Amino acid sequence: MPFTYAKIRRPRRAYIHVPELIPYYSPLRYPGGKSWLAPELREWLARDSRAELVELFAGGAYASLLAVLEGYVHRAILVEIDPAICALWRTVFSADARKLCSRIRGFRFTEESVEELLDKKFRTDVGLAFQTIVKNRARRGGILADGAGILRTGERNKGVSSRWYPQTLIDRIKRLNEYANNFKVIEEDALEYLTLLHRRRHPVKLFVDPPYTKLSEPGVKPLYRFNYINHAKLFGKLHQTSHDILITYDDSDFVRKKATQHEFNIKRILMRTAHSVKKHELLLTRR
Ligand SMILES: C[S@@+](CC[C@H](N)C(=O)[O-])C[C@H]1O[C@@H](n2cnc3c(N)ncnc32)[C@H](O)[C@@H]1O
């Protein structure tokens, strides 16, 4: 679908749902993914041209995919700690993408075959990548945390395969693979990587989308395999960076306090979750 963002007038800086402005580039439907942020991401990326985007806590990597595929940056670096997610991105951006596509094409998506596949331990990137895609499609909201069950009745009672669109997945993977040289995947703790980034001379765009602070609270169901980070330490490190930065966070007193303390601008933005629930998130930029 052609991209018509510039032609649409927006009366207020609020979330509006215009599907053609939010293209889906990813084979993952990622919990906490940032597709809804597309208009703000474009505005931020267009503000000055830098050759490289670094996306910390990359997950479904929406910002990186948009930035490269829409030509805002030449290269995107995805920093993520989860080995299964990294295996997926490494495969998508390598010659093994073809093997991944043929596994997707040949898979019969039934409750039994999904359970059998999810019980397996894979050693190769391509095996782990395939398992990650199937897990992401079989579970409610794409949750990848250990122990989350598969959605037997499917979404809208359409059965376990209600989210399995093999041809769409293959088309997205093939398209992304054409940009393989424009992506780099770093499997590392984002806080460690930030220390390295501070030393880099040439400036990058830095997009930071950490797990929500409330995922650290007792009783809150985890969304990812890695949910807990030291948010206070992260704020301290982000404060030191000289790169052009955009941070997204859940709207909480803790985040507001830390953002003010570390001299970030705070903007509250309305979004709609995958289940059409409206809620607010915070966008933080350098003051
Ligand atoms: C909110 S999600 C990112 C969603 C992403 N922006 C998107 O568009 O799909 C947070 C991600 O941080 C990852 N993560 C958690 N702890 C991490 C750490 N210490 N270093 C790097 N990544 C981490 C999780 O595995 C998860 O994928």
Side-chain angles (χ1 to χ4, degrees):
M1 196 172 287
F3 168 53
T4 52
Y5 174 57
K7 292 182 189 154
I8 290 177
R9 289 185 53 200
R10 291 187 298 159
R12 280 190 298 127
R13 310 278 308 119
Y15 175 84
I16 49 166
H17 186 71
V18 185
E20 58 274 34
L21 300 186
I22 304 178
Y24 293 101
Y25 298 119
S26 177
L28 292 174
R29 48 196 198 105
Y30 211 75
K34 288 293 166 286
S35 53
W36 57 271
L37 194 64
E40 276 70 22
L41 281 170
R42 290 188 182 113
E43 206 172 292
W44 174 66
L45 288 163
R47 213 173 293 153
D48 61 1
S49 54
R50 295 193 181 179
E52 212 162 74
L53 170 73
V54 174
E55 182 168 1
L56 300 183
F57 308 99
Y62 190 77
S64 296
L65 304 189
L66 178 146
V68 170
L69 270 65
E70 294 186 10
Y72 290 100
V73 296
H74 178 68
R75 202 162 94 118
I77 299 181
L78 279 50
V79 184
E80 167 62 51
I81 204 169
D82 187 333
I85 304 296
C86 292
L88 173 72
W89 290 128
R90 279 193 298 263
T91 306
V92 167
F93 300 125
S94 75
D96 280 348
R98 290 176 65 185
K99 290 187 195 160
L100 178 60
C101 290
S102 48
R103 286 204 188 188
I104 291 171
R105 196 176 292 113
F107 189 62
R108 267 196 67 232
F109 204 100
T110 64
E111 210 176 303
E112 295 73 37
S113 59
V114 167
E115 283 194 340
E116 192 185 323
L117 183 88
L118 299 195
D119 279 346
K120 285 188 181 158
K121 296 248 177 291
F122 287 96
R123 293 217 180 88
T124 61
D125 266 2
V126 70
L128 197 48
F130 179 56
Q131 187 184 47
T132 303
I133 292 231
V134 170
K135 193 185 280 186
N136 181 250
R137 292 281 144 183
R139 289 182 171 173
R140 179 186 290 278
I143 292 180
L144 295 166
D146 291 335
I150 66 169
L151 195 59
R152 279 165 223 288
T153 51
E155 303 204 350
R156 292 183 294 280
N157 274 332
K158 282 164 117 190
V160 69
S161 66
S162 59
R163 288 276 177 181
W164 185 243
Y165 308 115
Q167 195 52 51
T168 306
L169 294 172
I170 291 168
D171 291 345
R172 287 186 189 169
I173 292 167
K174 281 186 175 166
R175 182 166 183 214
L176 290 174
N177 184 258
E178 288 169 16
Y179 294 85
N181 293 333
N182 304 83
F183 288 93
K184 187 172 175 186
V185 181
I186 298 188
E187 186 176 331
E188 195 180 343
D189 182 340
L191 282 96
E192 300 295 324
Y193 187 78
L194 254 180
T195 309
L196 279 179
L197 201 62
H198 289 339
R199 293 194 212 118
R200 273 191 40 181
R201 283 276 185 80
H202 77 268
V204 298
K205 292 279 213 186
L206 182 59
F207 180 65
V208 187
D209 183 22
Y212 291 159
T213 53
K214 51 179 172 288
L215 286 174
S216 310
E217 291 169 11
V220 177
K221 280 199 181 147
L223 293 177
Y224 316 110
R225 269 186 74 197
F226 299 85
N227 298 284
Y228 313 109
I229 60 162
N230 185 334
H231 291 279
K233 188 172 168 192
L234 177 63
F235 265 105
K237 288 195 172 217
L238 293 174
H239 176 69
Q240 288 165 27
T241 186
S242 56
H243 301 287
D244 182 20
I245 191 165
L246 180 66
I247 311 167
T248 70
Y249 250 117
D250 45 326
D251 188 358
S252 69
D253 291 345
F254 170 81
V255 172
R256 284 174 175 272
K257 189 172 142 213
K258 284 288 161 196
T260 309
Q261 187 185 336
H262 291 292
E263 300 173 333
F264 287 107
N265 279 327
I266 303 175
K267 184 171 138 186
R268 194 164 180 251
I269 179 164
L270 186 63
M271 57 88 70
R272 203 187 294 242
T273 67
H275 302 288
S276 292
V277 178
K278 283 185 185 171
K279 61 177 204 145
H280 287 96
E281 288 214 358
L282 299 181
L283 288 187
L284 313 180
T285 47
R286 171 124 15 245
R287 227 176 253 175

